Amino acid sequence: MHTDVLVIGAGPAGLAAAAAAAEHGAEVLLVDRESRPGGILKQCIHDGFGVIRYEEKLTGPEYAYRDIEAVRAYGLRVLNNTFVLDLKQSVDGFSLLLQNPIDGAFRVDTKALVAANGCRERTSRQVFIHGDRPAGIYSAGTAQNLINLHGYLPGRKVVILGSGDIGMIMARRLTLEGAEVAGVYEIKDEPSGLTRNRVQCLDDYNIPLYLNTTVTRVHGTKRVTGVSVAAVGADLKPLPGSETLVPCDTLLLSVGLIPENDILEPLALEFDAKTGGPVVDQRMMTSVPGLFSCGNATHVNDMVDYVSESGFNAGRAAANYCQHGGSQGSVEVVSGNNLLYAVPQRLVSGEEAAIYFRSDKTIDRVILVAQAAGKELFREKYLRIRPPEMQKIVLQPLSPEVESVEIGLEEVT
C-alpha cells in the first residue's frame, strides 16, 4: 500500500490529524490497534470534554463521535485491530510493516507519518510498593474500562493512590456504583489533578483526600485485604511510626501517565526528558523530517481540546509536507524560571506559534514573560498557576534573526 499520510492511533489526536490531513488534500490511512476508533474517550462517560473546542460539556463518547463522523465524511481508509510490527525510514518517507487479522502482515509506504500513540499509565511495579501482588490491584484507567465498558465492579472497598484526574473521577464513579472509597492518598502536598475534579468528584461526595500520605505496603496473598499508609516528609519518604492499616479489597493506582512512543525508537529521534515525548516545533514536526507527533504522545495534556488541537496542527502540517517538504524549526524555546516545560521546544520563524507550558510549582500572583534577545515578546498575568493545569499562549511570528526564545514565570512580590 502507498499513501501520503499515515496516522498511527485513532484517539482524539489521531482522528483530528487524519481529518485535517484529508482536508488539506492528502491521501490518508488511519490505523489503530483497537477494534473501534475513539481511544480512551470510549470509556470516559463523564462530561467535561469539549469546553474549549465546542463551548459545551460533552461526554467522552460524544466528543469522539464528532471526530469519527468527520473522518467518515472524508471517506478515509481506517484499519482497526492493526499493529505496527516494524518502522523504518525509506528514500521517499517511511515504510511500515503492519498486521491485522484480515490482511495478515503487509507493508505500507508513506511520505509523512503522524504518531498519535497516546500515553499509558504507570503501574504498581513502577511505584515500588512493598508486599505481594495479589488480585485487586488496578490502574485507575483499567478500573474505568472494567466498569464503563464491561460492567464489572473491581471491588467493594477501595483505596486510591494518587490524586490524578482519572483517580478522582474513579472515586466518584465507584461511589455511584455502590462501592466504598476509603480515601484518596496523595504523596504531595496538593492534588495532582484539576481543581474542578477535586470539587466535583471528592468534595461533593464526601470522599476523603489525604495529602502528604502514601501507600507503603499491600497486604494479602490471593486477594488484597488492606494497605498500609504513612505520612511522608519533605523528601517524600515515609515517616517512621506514622503507618496505619486501611482495610480494603482493592487498590487503584492513579500515579501518572507516560507518553507511549516505543514504536518510534528505530528512528532515533530527539526526545525531551521532561515531557517524555519527542521534541517538536509548532507544526508538530519532530527532529526527523516528515515525522509528526501529537496529543499525549508528545506530552500529557489535561484537556482533550488541546489534544485535538495538536492533532489538527500535525495533520495539516503533514499534508503540507507531502506537497512542499520542509524541516524542523531552528529557533530554540528555553524553559526559564519556575517552568516545568514548554511545548513546542523549537519554532519555525515567520509563523504564529501556540506554546503550552506547565509551572514547576503552585504560585500565586505571577507573570509569564516570553522574550528574545532582551526584547519582550509576550506578557500575561495569572492570579494562580498550578502544575496540573496546563496553560497556553500564542506568540506572533518571529523574525528570521531570532535564535532562541526564553519563557519564564516571574513572581509578583
Side-chain angles (χ1 to χ4, degrees), residues 23 98 146 152 156 226 247 275 286 322 333 341-342 394 409 412:
E23 179 184 353
L98 307 178
L146 288 172
Y152 295 117
R156 292 292 180 180
T275 64
T286 70
C322 294
V333 177
Y341 70 76
V394 177
L409 294 168
V412 179

Side-chain angles (χ1 to χ4, degrees), residues 86-102:
D86 183 50
L87 167 61
K88 59 185 179 183
Q89 284 185 272
S90 62
V91 176
D92 299 319
F94 304 91
S95 181
L96 295 89
L97 181 63
L98 307 178
Q99 183 179 35
N100 63 39
I102 297 176

Side-chain angles (χ1 to χ4, degrees), residues 221-243:
T221 51
K222 293 184 177 181
R223 176 80 194 193
V224 173
T225 59
V227 297
S228 292
V229 299
V232 300
D235 58 359
L236 302 183
K237 293 182 179 180
L239 298 175
S242 66
E243 276 195 343

Side-chain angles (χ1 to χ4, degrees), residues 147-351:
I147 294 177
N148 294 346
L149 293 185
H150 302 284
Y152 295 117
L153 187 64
R156 292 292 180 180
K157 189 167 185 179
V158 183
V159 165
I160 299 177
L161 174 61
S163 59
D165 291 312
I166 303 177
M168 291 192 287
I169 288 167
M170 285 309 298
R172 177 181 63 182
R173 188 75 179 96
L174 286 159
T175 300
L176 290 172
E177 289 298 328
E180 177 189 352
V181 179
V184 176
Y185 295 84
E186 170 59 50
I187 195 170
K188 297 180 181 178
D189 59 3
E190 65 175 327
S192 58
L194 298 174
T195 300
R196 74 181 190 195
N197 284 329
R198 174 180 181 173
V199 173
Q200 296 174 2
C201 300
L202 301 186
D203 296 350
D204 289 354
Y205 289 84
N206 297 316
I207 299 171
L209 170 64
Y210 301 94
L211 300 175
N212 300 117
T213 311
T214 191
V215 173
T216 56
R217 180 175 292 275
V218 176
H219 301 278
T221 51
K222 293 184 177 181
R223 176 80 194 193
V224 173
T225 59
V227 297
S228 292
V229 299
V232 300
D235 58 359
L236 302 183
K237 293 182 179 180
L239 298 175
S242 66
E243 276 195 343
T244 58
L245 175 66
V246 180
C248 63
D249 60 20
T250 304
L251 172 65
L252 295 194
L253 304 174
S254 179
V255 289
L257 302 169
I258 307 169
E260 191 168 14
N261 290 292
D262 296 349
I263 61 174
L264 302 182
E265 289 182 358
L267 301 181
L269 66 162
E270 183 181 359
F271 281 88
D272 186 328
K274 292 183 178 179
T275 64
V279 171
V280 296
D281 59 24
Q282 72 263 47
R283 300 171 179 174
M284 309 311 294
M285 186 184 287
T286 70
S287 58
V288 176
L291 173 63
F292 300 81
S293 175
C294 57
N296 288 337
T298 310
H299 66 116
V300 177
N301 294 254
D302 48 25
M303 298 188 71
V304 72
D305 308 72
Y306 292 141
V307 169
S308 297
E309 188 172 276
S310 69
F312 176 83
N313 291 339
R316 177 180 58 186
N320 185 70
Y321 179 85
C322 294
Q323 300 162 12
H324 307 292
S327 57
Q328 191 194 48
S330 58
V331 179
E332 182 182 8
V333 177
V334 179
S335 297
N337 293 337
N338 300 314
L339 234 61
L340 181 62
Y341 70 76
V343 174
Q345 298 89 345
R346 301 275 191 275
L347 297 178
V348 178
S349 300
E351 296 183 11

